[in-house]
């Protein structure tokens, strides 16, 4: 395969080259053998995932920002009416007004922006993304710690690490392995909309680092007696590091402190 150009490097392109991995990813993105009503693919590249996702979708919009790849993609899928190749930046797209899913091999350098786009889309049902393994593990608690973003969105979204993908499945070969992370909107949120502002304030305060510990941070707006009671209810040690508290323990903290 030809060496990638500087444009490819600028776009952080590492094309999936392993067909077995592509088929496995498609089954993870559209589980249970179902048919996704509308799926948006971010970073279609050379069409490895597009090819495996298309049979599982009623409608597939494959976004590709690199103009050198768009014409080839359109030619490849010209006989597949329900696949629309969009030569544009996925991040500039308007979210559909009907329920939809997102899937794709995300350029590592744009992962945070793509995830933010997904979380802001009101009708998104789920996103299955091939990302840098470190990102996937960090966001899903696989390291034994949890990030602010994951905890903050947990009442509305479940985050899961579904698979690991070796770096040699890509061309050019990146320096690190990849992971498949799935962000799935809950059918019923874990918190009522009326208390979500309080939830956001609690999580942001806890992750602020003010006071030197989670316990100390929460004591800035709540009495020590109430914080102690909340920690006992959540089965947390007062000296626990903020990242070590699970989303479920955060929910228990909120339940006690919001009374």
């Amino acid at each position: 395969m030809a060496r990638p150009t500087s444009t490819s490097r600028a776009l952080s392109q590492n094309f999936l080259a392993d067909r077995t991995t592509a088929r496995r990813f498609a089954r993870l993105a559209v589980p249970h053998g179902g048919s996704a009503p509308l799926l948006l693919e971010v970073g279609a590249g050379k069409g490895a995932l597009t090819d495996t996702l298309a049979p599982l979708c009623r409608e597939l919009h494959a976004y590709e920002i690199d103009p050198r790849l768009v014409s080839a993609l359109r030619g490849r899928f010209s006989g597949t009416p329900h696949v629309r190749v969009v030569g544009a930046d996925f991040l500039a797209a308007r979210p559909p007004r009907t329920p939809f899913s997102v899937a794709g091999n995300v350029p590592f350098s744009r992962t945070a922006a793509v995830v933010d786009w997904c979380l802001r889309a009101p009708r998104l049902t789920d996103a299955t993304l091939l990302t840098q393994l470190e990102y996937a593990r960090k966001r899903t608690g696989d390291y034994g710690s949890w990030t602010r973003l994951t905890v903050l969105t947990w009442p509305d979204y479940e985050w899961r690490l579904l698979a690991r993908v070796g770096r040699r499945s890509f061309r050019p070969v990146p320096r690190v392995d990849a992971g498949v992370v799935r962000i799935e909107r809950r059918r019923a949120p874990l918190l009522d909309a009326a208390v979500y502002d309080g939830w956001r304030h609690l999580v942001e305060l806890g992750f602020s680092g003010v006071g030197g510990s989670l316990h100390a941070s929460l004591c800035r707006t709540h009495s020590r007696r109430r914080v102690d009671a909340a920690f006992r209810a959540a089965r947390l040690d007062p000296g626990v590091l903020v990242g070590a508290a699970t989303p479920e323990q955060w929910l228990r903290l909120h339940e006690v402190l919001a009374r």
Side-chain angles (χ1 to χ4, degrees), residues 187-239:
R187 292 185 178 182
L190 301 180
L191 292 175
D192 292 334
V195 302
Y196 201 84
D197 284 345
W199 168 258
R200 177 179 291 275
H201 175 75
L202 176 72
V203 175
E204 290 180 345
L205 177 63
F207 275 92
S208 68
V210 177
S213 69
L214 173 58
H215 188 277
S217 294
L218 298 185
C219 282
R220 292 181 63 84
T221 58
H222 301 280
S223 70
R224 179 173 295 276
R225 179 182 60 80
R226 292 187 67 200
V227 173
D228 286 343
F231 268 61
R232 287 194 298 271
R235 297 184 178 181
L236 284 171
D237 185 274

Side-chain angles (χ1 to χ4, degrees), residues 58-71:
R58 299 177 195 170
E59 187 176 357
L60 173 60
H61 297 177
Y63 281 81
E64 176 50 53
I65 194 174
D66 191 339
R68 301 168 307 164
L69 301 173
V70 172
S71 59

Side-chain angles (χ1 to χ4, degrees), residues 113-244:
V114 170
V115 169
D116 182 67
W117 187 99
C118 291
L119 294 175
R120 291 177 181 272
R123 303 309 301 273
L124 177 87
T125 59
D126 54 82
T128 307
L129 307 173
L130 193 53
T131 73
Q132 188 174 354
L133 180 59
E134 181 184 3
Y135 180 91
R137 295 190 65 190
K138 182 172 66 173
R139 291 297 187 213
T140 58
D142 195 58
Y143 283 124
S145 61
W146 299 85
T147 68
R148 172 187 170 277
L149 178 64
T150 309
V151 174
L152 190 62
T153 58
W154 194 258
D156 294 316
Y157 296 94
E158 182 182 10
W159 296 68
R160 287 183 291 156
L161 174 63
L162 299 185
R164 301 186 182 197
V165 179
R167 65 191 187 94
R168 299 198 178 277
S169 295
F170 301 88
R171 297 294 182 274
V173 178
R175 296 181 179 179
V176 296
D177 292 340
V180 179
V181 59
R182 184 170 174 86
I183 309 167
E184 189 165 351
R185 187 186 296 273
R186 301 183 188 278
R187 292 185 178 182
L190 301 180
L191 292 175
D192 292 334
V195 302
Y196 201 84
D197 284 345
W199 168 258
R200 177 179 291 275
H201 175 75
L202 176 72
V203 175
E204 290 180 345
L205 177 63
F207 275 92
S208 68
V210 177
S213 69
L214 173 58
H215 188 277
S217 294
L218 298 185
C219 282
R220 292 181 63 84
T221 58
H222 301 280
S223 70
R224 179 173 295 276
R225 179 182 60 80
R226 292 187 67 200
V227 173
D228 286 343
F231 268 61
R232 287 194 298 271
R235 297 184 178 181
L236 284 171
D237 185 274
V240 68
L241 297 176
V242 62

Side-chain angles (χ1 to χ4, degrees), residues 4-163:
T5 67
S6 59
T7 304
S8 297
R9 289 192 293 270
L11 295 175
S12 187
Q13 291 169 317
N14 297 97
F15 303 111
L16 186 62
D18 183 74
R19 293 183 179 180
T20 300
T21 299
R23 288 193 293 268
R24 183 187 182 194
F25 178 90
R27 291 193 296 269
L28 294 172
V30 189
H32 314 305
S35 178
L38 173 59
L39 191 147
L40 274 56
E41 182 187 2
V42 50
K46 297 183 177 181
L49 289 181
T50 317
D51 200 38
T52 59
L53 290 168
L56 303 178
C57 304
R58 299 177 195 170
E59 187 176 357
L60 173 60
H61 297 177
Y63 281 81
E64 176 50 53
I65 194 174
D66 191 339
R68 301 168 307 164
L69 301 173
V70 172
S71 59
L73 282 169
R74 286 175 174 162
R76 180 173 178 177
F77 294 99
S78 60
T80 313
H82 71 288
V83 175
R84 175 189 170 203
V85 176
V86 184
D89 186 352
F90 171 82
L91 294 174
R94 289 186 177 182
R97 297 181 179 180
T98 58
F100 71 100
S101 302
V102 169
N105 175 21
V106 181
F108 290 168
S109 66
R110 308 188 91 197
T111 301
V114 170
V115 169
D116 182 67
W117 187 99
C118 291
L119 294 175
R120 291 177 181 272
R123 303 309 301 273
L124 177 87
T125 59
D126 54 82
T128 307
L129 307 173
L130 193 53
T131 73
Q132 188 174 354
L133 180 59
E134 181 184 3
Y135 180 91
R137 295 190 65 190
K138 182 172 66 173
R139 291 297 187 213
T140 58
D142 195 58
Y143 283 124
S145 61
W146 299 85
T147 68
R148 172 187 170 277
L149 178 64
T150 309
V151 174
L152 190 62
T153 58
W154 194 258
D156 294 316
Y157 296 94
E158 182 182 10
W159 296 68
R160 287 183 291 156
L161 174 63
L162 299 185

